[in-house]
Amino acid sequence: MRKFAYCKVVLATSLVWVMLDMFILLYFSECNKCDDKKERGLPGREEVVQRPHDGPGEMGRPVVIPKDQQEKMKEMFKINQFNLMASELIALNRTLPDVRLEGCKNKLYPDDLPRTSVVIVFHNEAWTTLLRTVHSVINRSPRKLLEEVVLVDDASERDFLKRPLEQYVRKLEVPVRIVRMEQRSGLIRARLRGAALSTGQVITFLDAHCECTTGWLEPLLARIKIDRKTVVCPIIDVISDDSFEYMAGSDMTYGGFNWKLNFRWYPVPQREMDRRKGDRTLPPRPTHFLAELDRSSTRTTVGWLRCGWTSLRTFSTSSHQIRNVETNQCLDNMARKENEKVGIFNCHGMGGNQVFSYTANKELRTDDLCLDVSKLNGPVMMLKCHHLKGNQLWEYDTLRLTLVHVNSNQCLDKASEEDTQVPSVRDCSGSRSQQWLLRNVTLPEIF
């Protein structure tokens, strides 16, 4: 009897150990699958924070995706409308070149500049682009000038932007607060919420997918110190949504609105250069581009700084751009006037001169000018829209991605070797150079 009881104890003990082994086995086998179940861009790969300075995207160099990963890259592109695969290869604190004028690099600023709160609104933003923005703000802002970073979540749905993001920002050396909107409210309401909760003397608004470069903050705050009613904006460079290449913007243009309240970039006139006696480090007279303001001012004067640089990526969801598939360039009015040729330039996604609409009348329109072709092989001109179709009638084929000029029966094509800054029209051949993507352009119902 005693031997039977002993056997039961041994059997029970064995069963306990078997169950424990099974639990441990199942736990670790499930854990091995964790990486596969993570949403794209979820934290956990700490090595992405810092890579060798010769790593992908360092110094703003383009990231090249191997051919055997192109299909996967295209699928990932659809998630945020930019090359997410390239972004995940780049360090969160990647290096960028200092492209400022020498005069800007040597400028001295007061020691008692006001402190700023940086407000960043995001909605379902990719992990890498959002945190690259935050790291660039922290790493390239003098600590004494940075009060805090306020992240305003406009009702994001992605899990990695919830608790994982909160845990990540707690480790950063600058206070980072996350404010959650109860429901989707839009950019302006979300920015106002962030502004109301910020504590800095100055409020700086940044996009959720930009990278601040060296010396970006001091000149902005210096102008506000001179006049607290000033609203300032830096030069805005470009980050390619395809390769994440950093491309410096021009300091010889300024931002403004036309009478239709469309934002445009305009060349700095000679009278302005004369006023500044050729000193390109001085801001031009007030324009109308808002970026940073003193929180206690009630009136604003806008200045545009040429020494502070902020680079924004090109994947703005508000741009109605017409992009060439082969060259990755976009139609651009180049701030040209009526009876001048339309231009083509690297897509920057900031709207402005690259905002075009394909109208219900099948016009390709920028403001009140329409693309007009009056003879075979062009050129493509910008003329006043007359709404009579004729030379301004274009058919967009959503399958072939072609823009056919109906009167000439020719297709809009990339720039020619003779003139690399204007698109051409040629006999339709089905080539990639004649394919165009109309991003965020509403097509007529007949399509």
Side-chain angles (χ1 to χ4, degrees):
M1 189 70 179
R2 182 180 298 174
K3 184 176 181 181
F4 179 75
Y6 177 79
C7 289
K8 288 199 294 183
V9 170
V10 171
L11 180 60
T13 304
S14 299
L15 287 172
V16 169
W17 280 110
V18 168
M19 292 176 65
L20 182 61
D21 289 342
M22 290 179 63
F23 174 79
I24 293 174
L25 182 62
L26 287 171
Y27 176 83
F28 281 101
S29 64
E30 284 300 308
C31 193
N32 288 335
K33 298 176 183 177
C34 289
D35 288 339
D36 296 333
K37 294 181 179 179
K38 286 180 179 179
E39 292 184 66
R40 184 67 60 184
L42 187 65
R45 299 190 299 270
E46 295 297 335
E47 68 273 11
V48 81
V49 175
Q50 187 168 6
R51 296 190 191 278
H53 288 325
D54 59 351
E58 292 298 326
M59 291 304 293
R61 290 187 292 269
V63 176
V64 179
I65 303 298
K67 289 185 178 180
D68 61 351
Q69 298 186 49
Q70 289 288 318
E71 289 304 317
K72 182 179 179 181
M73 178 197 73
K74 291 176 182 177
E75 286 301 310
M76 292 175 64
F77 194 99
K78 298 175 183 178
I79 299 174
N80 284 91
Q81 294 303 306
F82 61 82
N83 192 341
L84 185 57
M85 179 180 286
S87 182
E88 291 187 346
L89 293 173
I90 301 172
L92 298 182
N93 61 347
R94 74 157 168 177
T95 54
L96 291 174
D98 187 351
V99 297
R100 294 175 297 167
L101 298 171
E102 287 301 319
C104 291
K105 296 178 183 179
N106 299 326
K107 276 188 178 293
L108 299 176
Y109 299 100
D111 293 329
D112 57 344
L113 293 175
R115 292 169 62 83
T116 185
S117 294
V118 176
V119 176
I120 301 170
V121 175
F122 67 92
H123 172 75
N124 286 343
E125 187 66 40
W127 176 265
T128 49
T129 48
L130 177 61
L131 288 181
R132 198 172 294 117
T133 300
V134 174
H135 277 285
S136 74
V137 170
I138 294 174
N139 295 341
R140 299 190 179 107
S141 304
R143 182 64 186 89
K144 65 179 182 179
L145 300 180
L146 187 57
E147 180 74 24
E148 62 185 344
V149 176
V150 180
L151 300 178
V152 184
D153 177 12
D154 191 15
S156 294
E157 300 157 341
R158 297 175 180 173
D159 289 340
F160 61 80
L161 295 174
K162 307 296 183 181
R163 183 174 175 78
L165 180 61
E166 294 170 0
Q167 292 176 327
Y168 186 95
V169 298
R170 287 196 196 107
K171 304 174 185 177
L172 300 177
E173 58 269 32
V174 170
V176 180
R177 292 195 289 155
I178 300 178
V179 180
R180 308 282 187 184
M181 303 294 286
E182 292 77 15
Q183 60 185 9
R184 187 74 190 275
S185 304
L187 178 64
I188 301 305
R189 289 188 179 90
R191 281 183 172 177
L192 291 174
R193 177 78 174 277
L197 297 175
S198 62
T199 59
Q201 298 166 284
V202 170
I203 304 170
T204 303
F205 296 106
L206 291 182
D207 220 342
H209 33 250
C210 71
E211 297 176 48
C212 301
T213 59
T214 301
W216 78 282
L217 183 58
E218 297 93 317
L220 302 175
L221 297 177
R223 303 305 298 185
I224 290 177
K225 176 178 170 56
I226 295 172
D227 182 356
R228 292 172 58 190
K229 301 183 181 67
T230 298
V231 179
V232 291
C233 177
I235 287 176
I236 303 176
D237 301 329
V238 174
I239 297 176
S240 167
D241 61 344
D242 183 58
S243 66
F244 275 73
E245 179 183 8
Y246 169 81
M247 295 171 281
S250 171
D251 69 316
M252 293 302 293
T253 58
Y254 70 94
F257 290 93
N258 61 20
W259 288 109
K260 292 181 177 291
L261 296 183
N262 293 320
F263 181 79
R264 292 287 182 265
W265 293 105
Y266 299 102
V268 175
Q270 186 59 45
R271 66 178 182 277
E272 180 63 23
M273 292 304 298
D274 294 341
R275 183 187 70 85
R276 292 185 289 168
K277 297 180 174 58
D279 186 354
R280 290 163 58 185
T281 69
L282 294 176
R285 291 187 185 277
T287 62
H288 309 281
F289 197 144
L290 314 185
E292 184 170 283
L293 66 157
D294 187 290
R295 62 181 300 112
S296 61
S297 64
T298 57
R299 295 191 304 122
T300 59
T301 303
V302 183
W304 180 42
L305 271 293
R306 299 183 173 275
C307 295
W309 294 70
T310 303
S311 51
L312 301 180
R313 57 107 160 146
T314 70
F315 14 93
S316 168
T317 57
S318 62
S319 296
H320 301 266
Q321 61 186 25
I322 299 179
R323 177 197 298 254
N324 186 274
V325 171
E326 180 175 292
T327 66
N328 207 34
Q329 291 184 314
C330 286
L331 293 184
D332 193 311
N333 65 34
M334 302 288 197
R336 294 170 181 164
K337 301 176 182 178
E338 183 182 1
N339 295 319
E340 293 186 313
K341 296 178 183 178
V342 70
I344 191 167
F345 194 70
N346 293 334
C347 299
H348 52 60
M350 294 182 292
N353 297 339
Q354 293 185 357
V355 172
F356 281 76
S357 58
Y358 183 61
T359 71
N361 290 330
K362 300 184 180 180
E363 304 157 323
L364 290 175
R365 182 170 181 153
T366 171
D367 291 340
D368 57 349
L369 301 179
C370 285
L371 300 198
D372 189 298
V373 178
S374 60
K375 58 182 180 180
L376 286 174
N377 302 318
V380 185
M381 307 293 292
M382 295 186 296
L383 302 181
K384 285 284 186 183
C385 298
H386 51 56
H387 312 299
L388 300 175
K389 299 185 177 180
N391 291 339
Q392 297 180 0
L393 180 63
W394 299 83
E395 288 276 5
Y396 183 62
D397 189 318
T398 56
L399 297 179
R400 296 185 178 88
L401 303 181
T402 54
L403 279 164
V404 180
H405 183 252
V406 175
N407 266 13
S408 65
N409 199 33
Q410 291 186 310
C411 287
L412 190 66
D413 208 325
K414 67 178 182 180
S416 63
E417 294 182 358
E418 294 77 28
D419 196 341
T420 60
Q421 290 192 327
V422 298
S424 60
V425 282
R426 297 188 179 97
D427 292 337
C428 298
S429 63
S431 66
R432 281 172 54 85
S433 68
Q434 293 182 351
Q435 293 181 325
W436 300 84
L437 297 176
L438 277 60
R439 176 172 294 184
N440 296 320
V441 175
T442 303
L443 297 175
E445 292 183 359
I446 60 172
F447 290 137

